[in-house]
Amino acid sequence: FAGLGGAALPLYRIIGRRRAYTALALVIIGFFACDLAPRTWRIFFDEHLYMQIGQTIAHTGRAEGANYARAEYGQFEMYSPWTNKQPNGLPYLLSWIYRTVGVSDRASHFLNPSLTGLGAAALYLGLSLAPWVLPAGAALAAALLFIFTPLVLWWGNTVAVEPSAAATVIFAFMAACAHARLRDA
């Protein structure tokens, strides 16, 4: 966060107000567009596993699954923990949501639509900052095409790991473009 905070003002000067508002609009559009797809479990076991590991991280600080645990009266007791090979990036993000608003299906389904919107905004800003010349409107068109790709909407309304993986790649692309632009400024 410190690196992002240190680069925020120089980036805002390069991006400008109009692009910042457009990026904010893309976050909102991406978040609500995910509701176009039905909310269901695509990979039932994996999604529940991610949510359960996120709950364990939120309560114990350990990335473990629970064969048997009890959550009663505001207490979380782990009786039979086990470590799995699942990726812990998504459960870690879920744990922050669980610490903030509590554990629920609705809270779990908040993350991926948010990442879809943030990914679209990052794609728009990355292409706007790209060190090569693009046609006018190309960055916005690419971000909207990303949002309204059926599989992005389909996976964006789940608790699966795929939207967070796509967003991570897009954030890395935006960071590379921002670095190139700031080095030239």
Side-chain angles (χ1 to χ4, degrees), residues 4-30:
L4 183 60
L9 188 58
L11 275 176
Y12 183 75
R13 287 186 187 130
I14 293 171
I15 292 169
R17 185 179 306 172
R18 191 183 103 245
R19 285 184 181 151
Y21 284 142
T22 303
L24 179 62
L26 286 168
V27 170
I28 294 167
I29 290 168

Side-chain angles (χ1 to χ4, degrees), residues 91-110:
Y92 178 74
L93 294 175
L94 286 170
S95 76
W96 279 100
I97 292 173
Y98 295 159
R99 288 176 191 152
T100 306
V101 298
V103 179
S104 70
D105 280 346
R106 183 67 192 143
S108 301
H109 280 93
F110 174 80

Side-chain angles (χ1 to χ4, degrees), residues 54-147:
Q55 182 180 11
T56 305
I57 292 171
H59 289 290
T60 68
R62 295 186 310 259
E64 299 173 327
N67 283 332
Y68 179 64
R70 185 169 49 189
E72 293 178 335
Y73 309 111
Q75 298 293 322
F76 183 82
E77 295 181 62
M78 178 84 75
Y79 295 109
S80 180
W82 57 281
T83 305
N84 198 337
K85 62 179 177 20
Q86 300 297 329
N88 288 321
L90 179 65
Y92 178 74
L93 294 175
L94 286 170
S95 76
W96 279 100
I97 292 173
Y98 295 159
R99 288 176 191 152
T100 306
V101 298
V103 179
S104 70
D105 280 346
R106 183 67 192 143
S108 301
H109 280 93
F110 174 80
L111 181 62
N112 281 345
S114 300
L115 288 173
T116 299
L118 289 169
L123 180 61
Y124 168 73
L125 292 175
L127 289 173
S128 297
L129 294 170
W132 55 84
V133 179
L134 293 171
L140 181 60
L144 289 172
L145 286 172
F146 171 75
I147 290 172

